[in-house]
Amino acid sequence: MGPDSEAVKKCVSVHWFRHGLRLHDNPALLESLKNADEFYAVFVFDGQVAEDVFPKLFQEWGVTRLTFEQDPEPVWQDRDNKVKALCKELEVECIEKVSHTLWDPLNIIQANGGSPPLTYAMFCQVTEIVGLPPRACPDPDFTGVKLPSSVHGDAKFHVPTCEELGVYPESDRQSHPLSGYSGGECRALELLELRIEKERQAFERGQCLPNQINPDLTGLPMSLSPHLRFGSLSVRHFYWLIHRTFMEVTQSETVPTSITGQLIWREYFYCMSVNNPKYNCMEGNPICLDIDWYRNMEQFEKWSKGQTGYPWIDACMRQLREEGWIHHVCRQSVACFLTRGDLWIDWQMGLEVFDRYLVDADWSVCAGNWMWVSSSAFEKVLQCPRCVCPVRYGRRMDPKGDYVRRYVPELQNMPLLYLFEPWKAPAAVQETAGCVVGRDYPPPMVDHKQASKMCMAKMEKIKGKCRGMRLCLLFTASVGGRPEYNAKCSYRVFGSVVNVCTFISRLVSMQITGADP
C-alpha cells in the first residue's frame, strides 16, 4: 500500500466558526474532531466563502470534512447552500448541527403543520408537543488530534483590526466609552456564573427575571445577550442551568415557562423568520401589517442622535451610539417613542439604527422586537392602549437620575425635580444648573400628550378598517387545521373575544392602508 492510498485515508477536518464562537456545547465541533487526523478551525471575515475561500483551503489542506453550526435565518441560506454544493462537488463530507437555538426551528414548523406559529402563546404550545430542548453536549477533547499551523500563518490568517475592516469611531465618546463589553467565551461563562447567582437570589425571594424588575442601568456591563448573539455562550447551557437552579431553590419538579421567558422569545423570533426573507421588512412580509408610517427625516435624526428634548429618551439613544448596548427597558422606550407612542415614524428606520449600533443586534430578534413594540405583528398587533411616557417612565426606571446625568451631561447639575422635564424648570434654576433649554439642551421636539393622542387615533382608525373584514384561511393553514390549537387560542380584541387564528389571519391577508371595511 503506497503513500497515495495512505493520504486518501487521512481525515482532515475543518470546523467553520460563524455564530457559535465557543468550545462548550458545540456539537458540530465534536463531529469535526471525531476520528480526525488533522484539525483546522477557521473564521471567515469577508469574501465569497464558497467561491473564493474554501476551494483554496480545501485544496491546500487536503480537507475531507467540513462542519458548522446551523444558521437558520434566511439571510444565511444562500451562503450555506453554496458551501454545501461545493462540498458535494469536491466530495468533502459536510456536517451541520443545531446549537445556536434551543430547538431546530424546522422541527417546530413541521410540528405546527408546515408553518411557524404566528403567536408566542401558540409557539409555547408547539414546543410542549416537541418536548424539552436537548441538553448541552460535552466539552471537546483534542487529545491525539494534530493541530497543524500553516506556513506564514500569522501573516496570512491574523485577526484584522477594526481599522483594517474599515470600522472607525464616530465620536470621541465612542472612542472612549464610559462602559463597554468584553467578548469571548471565558468572559461569557464568568458573566453566566454571576447571572445565575442573581437568579438564585431572586428565586429565594419568590421572584423571577430580576434584571427586568430592578434594572441596573449604570452598573458594569453584565448582559449575556451579546454572548448569545455571537454564540460565545450556549443558549442550551444557559437554559438548563436556570432550570436546575430553580429546581434546587424551590424543590419543584416543574419549571414555569416564565423563568426562561426571554430565551423562549428569542426562539420564537428565530422560528418566525425561517423561510421569510422579508421578515425584517414591512412590505412583502406576510406577518407584518402595512401601516402608513411617517418618514420624517428631521424628527428621525433628532431621535437617532439623542436630541429629542426628552432626557430619558436622549440618554438611551446616546448610550446606544456610544457603547453599543442599552437595557431592554431602554429599547422599549425609544422604540415606542419613535413609532406608535409619539413620532409615528416607520419602525424599519429604527431597526436600521439598532442593527448599526447594537453589539447584540440579531437579525431575527431585533426585527421581531421592533414589529412587536410598534404593534405591527404577533400578539401585540394593533394592541396599544398605553404607550411609554418619556417622563414618568424615565423617573420610574431612573429614580435618582444617575443614568440620565451620565449620558446627558448637559443636565448634570439640573435638580432631580426637573431632570426629566427640564423645560419646566424656572429660568433661574436653568441658569444656575448651567443648562438653559433652547441654548444648552433642546426643547421637547413634540408635546407627548398631543402626539400620543394622535398616534392612538391613527391606530384606532386602522382598527376600524379591520372590523368586518372577510376571513381567510392563512392562519388555519399555518397550524395545520389542528382543532386543539384553535380551541386554546382565544384573544380579546376590539372589546370582544375572538379566535386569535381568525383575527391575525384576516389582518395579515391584506394591506391596511388600502383596505376597505
Side-chain angles (χ1 to χ4, degrees), residues 104-231:
D104 185 343
L106 298 178
N107 290 344
I108 298 293
I109 291 172
Q110 182 180 5
N112 193 53
S115 297
L118 289 186
T119 71
Y120 176 77
M122 291 186 63
F123 178 83
C124 291
Q125 292 176 3
V126 177
T127 59
E128 289 179 6
I129 296 172
V130 172
L132 292 170
R135 293 183 180 272
C137 61
D139 290 344
D141 182 2
F142 291 89
T143 303
V145 179
K146 186 179 179 182
L147 306 173
S149 59
S150 297
V151 178
H152 309 301
D154 290 343
K156 188 175 181 180
F157 300 110
H158 78 286
V159 178
T161 64
C162 288
E163 289 75 16
E164 289 174 323
L165 293 173
V167 179
Y168 299 92
E170 298 176 350
S171 65
D172 184 65
R173 289 190 65 130
Q174 203 175 74
S175 300
H176 305 90
L178 297 172
S179 187
Y181 276 86
S182 299
E185 182 177 13
C186 291
R187 181 57 178 162
L189 294 175
E190 290 173 0
L191 291 177
L192 176 62
E193 186 176 343
L194 296 173
R195 172 65 178 271
I196 291 300
E197 180 56 33
K198 192 172 183 179
E199 296 284 348
R200 180 186 299 277
Q201 294 173 6
F203 295 155
E204 291 172 350
R205 297 191 301 268
Q207 299 176 344
C208 67
L209 301 178
N211 62 324
Q212 300 298 312
I213 298 174
N214 298 302
D216 183 6
L217 301 178
T218 57
L220 295 174
M222 302 289 287
S223 176
L224 292 170
S225 59
H227 296 284
L228 291 174
R229 181 257 183 265
F230 286 101

Side-chain angles (χ1 to χ4, degrees), residues 37 44 50 70 113 123-124 144 152 190 192-193 213 219 295 326 342 405 418 428 443 446 453 489 513:
D37 297 299
V44 182
Q70 180 203 62
F123 178 83
C124 291
H152 309 301
E190 290 173 0
L192 176 62
E193 186 176 343
I213 298 174
R295 295 187 71 86
I326 49 176
D342 291 81
R405 289 194 172 93
Y418 302 110
V446 293
K453 286 181 181 179
C489 294
T513 52

